[in-house]
Amino acid sequence: MRTLISTAFVSLDGVVEAPGGEPGYRNSGWTFKDMEFLPEAFEIKGREQQEATAMMMGRVSYEAFSQVWPGMEDFTDYNAMPKYVVSTSLAEDALVSNWGETTILRSLDEVAALKETEGGPIIIHGSATLNRNLSDAGLIDRYHLLVFPLLLGAGKRLFSDTDKDTQKLNLVEHEAYSNGLQKNVFDVVR
């Protein structure tokens, strides 16, 4: 069985929208504004590329990342690995040709079936809606969260507000940095 890992930059109040400067959000680029950059706080991002064997994202994140990431040297490991896009609307002919093997999954049932196959961890990038749906369906196994000391108010959130049973998490790695950033790695308790 494969491990599904959600990785996110998240504000203290749970917002994950536009951390890198994507247009259309009032606080776009919040991860780098007025924040001292500490390379050690982002070590987990390099480790993710080394440990993951595939990448998953929703349609909106795929459309954004596929235009930028294939040419970025910082993402060479991600560029080489298979990608899964979870979307009911993305057409096969909309897939880019310069970003490696990409498979469209049309449902959460297909994600669940993928998890049952042989292979290593699958990392989920961006994809706020997909993250909420996968979490609500009990399909995420681990969270890699870099929590920023910010309250952003409005914006897309990592977790839904669906009324559901308590989901317990086990903190397996954590660190706080001098700039206020916190790394929290949680395994989902089954």
Side-chain angles (χ1 to χ4, degrees):
M1 183 154 166
R2 300 178 83 170
T3 303
L4 199 53
I5 302 169
S6 171
T7 183
F9 294 148
V10 59
S11 68
L12 189 60
D13 57 348
V15 174
V16 294
E17 186 168 354
E22 300 81 354
Y25 176 61
R26 176 181 180 186
N27 293 312
S28 185
W30 52 268
T31 56
F32 304 107
K33 289 180 182 174
D34 302 321
M35 177 69 60
E36 176 190 3
F37 179 76
L38 297 175
E40 61 272 22
F42 295 90
E43 171 275 335
I44 193 168
K45 304 317 284 175
R47 190 169 15 126
E48 289 170 349
Q49 283 192 70
Q50 297 300 309
E51 294 174 357
T53 59
M55 188 165 61
M56 182 178 286
M57 66 209 90
R59 178 191 54 81
V60 173
S61 291
Y62 174 79
E63 289 173 343
F65 296 162
S66 67
Q67 301 306 307
V68 180
W69 285 24
M72 294 181 71
E73 288 184 25
D74 290 345
F75 298 126
T76 55
D77 292 323
Y78 281 139
N79 291 339
M81 68 179 59
K83 288 146 202 79
Y84 296 94
V85 182
V86 183
S87 173
T88 58
S89 61
L90 185 66
E92 291 283 339
D93 63 0
L95 297 175
V96 298
S97 61
N98 64 335
W99 207 22
E101 175 190 344
T102 304
T103 303
I104 300 174
L105 304 177
R106 299 292 182 190
S107 69
L108 295 181
D109 288 338
E110 289 186 27
V111 174
L114 173 65
K115 283 187 60 169
E116 296 296 326
T117 63
E118 293 295 318
I122 302 168
I123 194 104
I124 306 164
H125 276 282
S127 310
T129 301
L130 176 61
N131 266 287
R132 289 190 300 273
N133 291 335
L134 291 170
S135 178
D136 287 350
L139 293 172
I140 295 178
D141 301 296
R142 175 174 272 205
Y143 292 95
H144 290 183
L145 305 178
L146 285 178
V147 181
F148 286 72
L150 303 168
L151 299 174
L152 297 173
K156 294 178 185 176
R157 305 211 178 267
L158 183 61
F159 300 103
S160 77
D161 59 3
T162 301
D163 186 17
K164 57 188 173 192
D165 291 339
T166 300
Q167 176 65 72
K168 294 186 186 276
L169 305 174
N170 182 33
L171 183 65
V172 295
E173 182 180 343
H174 63 91
E175 192 157 350
Y177 302 94
S178 62
N179 63 358
L181 195 62
Q182 297 176 35
K183 172 179 64 180
N184 294 296
V185 177
F186 294 99
D187 281 340
V188 175
V189 176
R190 303 269 184 231

